[in-house]
Amino acid sequence: MEERENQIEKIEKMERELRSQLQGIRDINDQEIYNQIDRLILKESKKEYLALEQKQSIRKRLFNTVRRLDFLQELLDDDEITEIMVNGTDGVFIEKAGKIRKWDHYFFSRERLEDLIQQIAGRCNRVVNEANPIVDARLENGDRVSIVLFPAAVNGPILTIRRFPRHPISMGQLIEWNSITEEASEFLKKLVGTGYNIFISGGTGSGKTTFLNALSDFIPKQERIITIEDNAELQIRGVENLVRLEARRGNILRDHEITIRDLIKASLRMRPDRIIVGEVRGEEAIDMLQAMNTGHDGSLSTAHANSTKDMMMRLETMVLMGIELPVSAIRRQIAGGIDIMVHLGRMRDHSRKVLEILEITGYDCEKEEIKTQILYQYEGKEKGKLRRKADLEKTEKWQRYAEH
C-alpha cells in the first residue's frame, strides 16, 4: 500500500511539472507533449530504475492527464463499458455487460476531480460552479455527461458518463438481440418512410436514444432533417441535408440562454421536412406538438415515462408548464399530432425491449379522451415476445400508408 502511494505521489509530481512546462504554450500538438513527457521520464529514471512497462504506463497516464480525461480515459477506451460513475473521492463505479462494479482506481483529491470536471464543461461551453452546480454536457465522442457539484452534491463532485456505441446500433442488431421482432420493425419502417409522427417513451436506460437512432435509418435520405437536443448525441447517418441544433444554458441571470423551445421555433423557419427532438422534458412539449400539427410530418421525439398511458399524462403536464390550456385542448393536440407511440423497457436480465406499439386513433369529444389501439404488445410468458394485437390492415395507420 505504501509503495503504491509513493508511486502515485511520484506520478502526481511529474504531472505538476508537466503542467508547469506546458502552461502558456498555445497550439501544442500531441507529439510535442509526448516529447516533454519522455524528457520527464528520462529525468526520473536517472534517479530511480523504471522498467519499460512502468515507463509506458506513466507516459500514457501523463498524456491522458493533460490531453484527455486523466485515468478515466482507460475506461473510455473500453467499448464494453456503458456507464462510468464517479462518486466524488469515494470511488469510481462502472457498468459493463449490464452489471455494476467498483473500479480499483479512484481520485485521491477533490481538486483533481474538479479540474477534470471544469475541463469537460469548458470544452462544451458550459459553466459549472457552486452557483450553478448541476450541468449536462457531452464529450467530443458524443458520450453524455452529468455533473453535480457542492452544495447539491454532499459527498463531493459527482460525474456520470453515459457511453454510446462508436457505431450506431442498427434495427437489424435490435432484431438479433430480440429487442423487437422483424415484423414490427417492418411496420415501423413503412410508417417512418411515409411520414408518421412517432413518439418513443421509456424509463432511464431503456434505450430510447439508441432506438431513435435506429428508427432514423428509415428516413428517406433526400429529406431535410433538423435535430434539436440538449446535448448533441444523435447519430443520423446517410442524410446530407442535416442540420444539428444544440441548446445552451445561460449564466445565473439566464443571459445568452438558448432553450429547446427557441430551437424548435427557429427550426420552423428553416424549411425542415422533419424535426427530431432528442428528448422532451418540459414546456417545449407544446412547441413540438404544434410543429407536428402544422404539416411537419414524420417528426420523431422521446421522453421518460413508465408506460404509454403515463406518457400521455406527462405530455399534458409538460404542455401546462408552458401555456395555460384546457386539458381537452391539450388532448386534441396530442391526438392530432402523434400517430404512433413506441414504449421501451429494461428487463430484469438487463436486456432492452420494445414493450408496446400504440396507435393514437383520434379524440373522443364526448368522453374527452384520446382514443388508442394497441398494435403490438410484449408478452413475457415463455420466451417473451412482441406480439401483434390488432389486424393492421384494418387500422387507420395502415390504410393511410396504403393510400400513400
Side-chain angles (χ1 to χ4, degrees):
M1 184 66 178
E2 185 179 344
E3 183 181 344
R4 186 186 176 190
E5 288 181 357
N6 289 337
Q7 182 75 9
I8 290 168
E9 187 179 341
K10 184 193 303 178
I11 293 173
E12 287 183 341
K13 182 183 175 183
M14 294 173 72
E15 287 172 357
R16 288 193 295 271
E17 191 172 345
L18 178 62
R19 288 182 185 277
S20 177
Q21 291 175 1
L22 297 178
Q23 193 172 9
I25 301 177
R26 295 183 178 181
D27 301 325
I28 188 168
N29 61 42
D30 290 353
Q31 188 55 53
E32 289 171 335
I33 292 174
Y34 275 124
N35 292 339
Q36 293 273 26
I37 291 170
D38 290 338
R39 283 193 283 271
L40 278 176
I41 293 174
L42 179 62
K43 177 182 173 183
E44 193 63 33
S45 63
K46 288 180 179 177
K47 299 177 187 175
E48 180 184 349
Y49 172 75
L50 295 173
L52 178 61
E53 187 178 338
Q54 284 179 294
K55 290 179 181 178
Q56 290 174 338
S57 175
I58 292 172
R59 189 175 193 256
K60 183 178 179 180
R61 178 155 177 179
L62 289 177
F63 182 80
N64 287 341
T65 299
V66 297
R67 206 59 152 183
R68 293 180 181 166
L69 294 186
D70 213 323
F71 61 81
L72 293 184
Q73 189 63 43
E74 181 182 333
L75 300 177
L76 292 169
D77 291 337
D78 186 344
D79 290 338
E80 293 183 8
I81 292 174
T82 53
E83 199 100 28
I84 301 169
M85 297 155 275
V86 183
N87 298 346
T89 55
D90 295 341
V92 178
F93 293 80
I94 61 173
E95 182 187 54
K96 192 171 185 176
K99 296 182 180 178
I100 296 176
R101 65 177 178 85
K102 191 172 184 178
W103 198 36
D104 55 2
H105 295 283
Y106 58 94
F107 286 89
F108 282 86
S109 70
R110 178 171 174 166
E111 291 73 21
R112 181 166 181 169
L113 176 54
E114 287 178 341
D115 285 346
L116 176 61
I117 285 172
Q118 292 299 337
Q119 178 184 336
I120 293 171
R123 288 177 182 175
C124 299
N125 196 29
R126 299 288 198 269
V127 176
V128 59
N129 48 42
E130 288 190 12
N132 183 39
I134 302 175
V135 163
D136 291 326
R138 63 179 169 83
L139 302 181
E140 292 173 357
N141 61 10
D143 290 345
R144 182 189 303 167
V145 180
S146 173
I147 299 167
V148 184
L149 299 184
F150 178 84
V154 178
N155 59 329
I158 308 300
L159 176 67
T160 309
I161 302 175
R162 169 74 59 86
R163 308 290 314 286
F164 290 104
R166 299 286 75 85
H167 303 288
I169 294 170
S170 67
M171 192 62 75
Q173 288 173 287
L174 293 178
I175 293 170
E176 286 179 20
W177 298 340
N178 294 319
S179 296
I180 187 173
T181 61
E182 188 169 354
E183 179 190 330
S185 169
E186 281 299 313
F187 176 64
L188 291 176
K189 179 178 181 180
K190 291 171 181 176
L191 297 186
V192 171
T194 48
Y196 290 86
N197 295 326
I198 299 177
F199 203 91
I200 302 165
S201 65
T204 301
S206 59
K208 295 184 295 297
T209 302
T210 298
F211 194 82
L212 180 56
N213 272 321
L215 212 55
S216 68
D217 276 348
F218 299 147
I219 296 173
K221 305 307 180 188
Q222 73 275 11
E223 293 188 357
R224 177 172 171 81
I225 312 300
I226 297 180
T227 65
I228 298 169
E229 302 172 83
D230 264 332
N231 293 292
E233 298 167 350
L234 292 174
Q235 298 168 295
I236 310 294
R237 299 174 296 181
V239 176
E240 289 186 359
N241 199 348
L242 175 67
V243 178
R244 304 177 71 206
L245 304 179
E246 184 179 53
R248 184 181 72 184
R249 288 198 176 191
N251 55 27
I252 301 171
L253 300 175
R254 301 198 136 196
D255 293 336
H256 311 298
E257 183 176 40
I258 303 172
T259 66
I260 295 291
R261 294 197 73 177
D262 296 330
L263 295 177
I264 293 175
K265 291 173 183 175
S267 70
L268 299 178
R269 297 188 290 271
M270 299 168 71
R271 203 265 175 221
D273 286 313
R274 298 177 192 240
I275 299 171
I276 301 178
V277 182
E279 184 175 343
V280 176
R281 293 191 179 98
E283 57 188 23
E284 65 272 10
I286 181 61
D287 301 287
M288 182 203 68
L289 288 172
Q290 286 176 345
M292 288 179 168
N293 275 292
T294 53
H296 296 89
D297 296 332
S299 295
L300 306 170
S301 189
T302 77
H304 281 77
N306 295 323
S307 66
T308 50
K309 184 178 180 181
D310 180 49
M311 187 67 259
M312 285 186 275
M313 289 189 292
R314 284 206 67 226
L315 277 171
E316 291 176 20
T317 304
M318 288 190 283
V319 169
L320 287 170
M321 292 167 65
I323 188 171
E324 285 290 336
L325 281 176
V327 172
S328 60
I330 297 172
R331 289 175 181 170
R332 286 175 185 272
Q333 289 277 329
I334 295 171
I338 300 174
D339 296 310
I340 296 286
M341 276 194 174
V342 180
H343 185 70
L344 311 177
R346 186 170 181 174
M347 314 305 283
R348 289 183 180 179
D349 63 357
H350 307 293
S351 64
R352 296 165 175 85
K353 295 186 183 297
V354 174
L355 300 183
E356 189 172 276
I357 299 177
L358 182 82
E359 173 190 19
I360 295 180
T361 59
Y363 180 74
D364 188 324
C365 297
E366 291 183 6
K367 295 181 180 179
E368 295 189 343
E369 291 178 351
I370 298 170
K371 296 191 292 183
T372 64
Q373 177 180 210
I374 296 173
L375 303 182
Y376 289 89
Q377 192 170 52
Y378 182 81
E379 294 180 358
K381 306 169 185 176
E382 298 176 10
K383 299 182 179 178
K385 189 177 181 182
L386 188 68
R387 301 185 187 279
R388 189 199 292 194
K389 306 296 286 186
D391 185 351
L392 299 182
E393 284 72 17
K394 292 182 180 178
T395 67
E396 179 189 349
K397 302 303 177 216
W398 197 266
Q399 290 298 324
R400 283 171 56 190
Y401 166 70
E403 288 170 10
H404 182 91

